[in-house]
Amino acid sequence: NLKNLLMMKKTVCFFLIFISSIACTTNILEEDKVFDERNVVLNHFFYYNDQVLDTTKIFTLGNARVIFKDVSVAFGGYYFTDHLTDTVVPNFKDTINPYKFDPNIASLKYGSAARVFKLDNDVYQGVHHFKMGLDSSITPKYSELESNHPMTRDGLYRGENQGYNSLFITGLYKEIGDTASSEPDKIFTYRVSDEILDLWWTKPTSFNVVSNMDVNMNIVWNIDELLSGLDPTIIDNIESDPSDAVDILLAESIVNNILTSYQIQL
């Protein structure tokens, strides 16, 4: 049926993009980019109404025509459990090398693959656990990150003692039927703070870790479903402002939509 054909098309499409992205990135490294040895990778494929999302296409959201300039989501935790549900890595009993998680992001603008953890060479059978969002109880420590760290990008750091935005979406919009401008030209920005976004995801799997090979988890994210119910012509700014009850409800509605819009591929 039509739904199955669309899903098949989407699956084939994101694998083609995945293969293409590997071909394009293996031989090119930005001059100022530091090699990231973390081999557990969350590869995101952003879609909108069954089309690949990029920063040039125009889509419809509510009563607006929109262009997305960035969709960034932070990941603030990872661990792996075996078939007995015991945590295999990281080793929390290791007092010589205590566990410290370095947050990372997947971004439409800066790169959709988030490297979240380094697994040693071995054979693994169990469950990946990765956290979408940051731990708001420890985010003040992140304010001392180096200037080139992903979490210091515009829109993510909320300011001193205010934590971070774990989800940041921004773009341009114009009302459908507005003839004053030919292209979307008004800014909309939706922020979900670390106080609100705190989701753990799991994926059962078995695999071998060998040198120079990544452990990939491929994820399809339907941004039209994520933003279902929103309309930039009515609400063009969400701050996750704890003093504004309506604003908090709007941010929480986005989090609720994540559960159906975010799909880890088998």
Side-chain angles (χ1 to χ4, degrees):
N1 56 32
L2 180 59
K3 183 176 181 180
N4 289 334
L5 287 174
L6 286 173
M7 288 301 297
M8 185 179 298
K9 176 183 175 182
K10 183 180 294 185
T11 301
V12 171
C13 188
F14 90 75
F15 273 115
L16 289 175
I17 296 171
F18 179 48
I19 294 171
S20 175
S21 66
I22 293 175
C24 293
T25 57
T26 51
N27 297 321
I28 301 175
L29 194 65
E30 298 174 18
E31 291 183 5
D32 61 346
K33 186 172 181 61
V34 178
F35 177 70
D36 192 333
E37 66 176 2
R38 289 177 287 187
N39 53 10
V40 178
V41 188
L42 308 177
N43 293 300
H44 288 74
F45 301 88
F46 298 98
Y47 282 86
Y48 199 98
N49 287 340
D50 296 315
Q51 294 185 55
V52 176
L53 184 65
D54 64 34
T55 58
T56 62
K57 293 179 181 177
I58 299 178
F59 299 96
T60 299
L61 177 58
N63 195 41
R65 301 288 283 164
V66 300
I67 294 177
F68 290 91
K69 292 304 181 181
D70 192 20
V71 177
S72 285
V73 60
F75 296 94
Y78 174 87
Y79 65 100
F80 190 86
T81 57
D82 62 17
H83 64 289
L84 299 175
T85 71
D86 292 329
T87 300
V88 178
V89 288
N91 183 356
F92 292 102
K93 298 178 181 179
D94 187 346
T95 57
I96 299 176
N97 300 300
Y99 174 58
K100 176 186 176 184
F101 189 84
D102 185 17
N104 207 344
I105 68 169
S107 168
L108 176 66
K109 180 178 180 180
Y110 295 103
S112 56
R115 293 183 174 272
V116 295
F117 199 79
K118 169 75 165 63
L119 286 177
D120 293 330
N121 290 4
D122 206 341
V123 178
Y124 296 85
Q125 182 174 1
V127 181
H128 293 288
H129 304 256
F130 62 93
K131 180 177 181 176
M132 178 187 287
L134 305 179
D135 188 338
S136 60
S137 67
I138 63 173
T139 48
K141 299 177 182 178
Y142 296 151
S143 62
E144 300 175 1
L145 294 170
E146 296 181 0
S147 60
N148 63 346
H149 193 282
M151 293 308 305
T152 63
R153 291 172 185 159
D154 291 343
L156 296 179
Y157 184 47
R158 294 176 63 85
E160 188 174 358
N161 299 320
Q162 297 183 52
Y164 287 80
N165 293 314
S166 290
L167 177 62
F168 176 74
I169 302 171
T170 190
L172 302 173
Y173 78 95
K174 60 168 284 190
E175 187 173 0
I176 295 175
D178 178 8
T179 58
S181 60
S182 59
E183 299 287 334
D185 59 351
K186 299 180 179 67
I187 298 173
F188 72 94
T189 306
Y190 299 147
R191 307 168 184 83
V192 180
S193 70
D194 54 18
E195 291 279 356
I196 298 174
L197 180 52
D198 184 1
L199 293 174
W200 280 97
W201 298 88
T202 61
K203 182 187 178 183
T205 185
S206 58
F207 56 93
N208 296 343
V209 174
V210 297
S211 300
N212 301 317
M213 290 288 290
D214 288 334
V215 180
N216 291 294
M217 282 180 274
N218 296 327
I219 296 156
V220 167
W221 202 356
N222 297 299
I223 305 304
D224 52 310
E225 295 182 21
L226 175 69
L227 301 181
S228 176
L230 289 173
D231 184 338
T233 65
I234 300 173
I235 301 292
D236 63 3
N237 189 47
I238 298 175
E239 294 273 2
S240 290
D241 182 353
S243 66
D244 186 334
V246 174
D247 189 63
I248 291 295
L249 286 175
L250 289 169
E252 290 175 344
S253 72
I254 295 177
V255 173
N256 291 335
N257 287 343
I258 291 176
L259 299 176
T260 55
S261 66
Y262 196 79
Q263 302 167 5
I264 305 172
Q265 298 296 295
L266 298 178

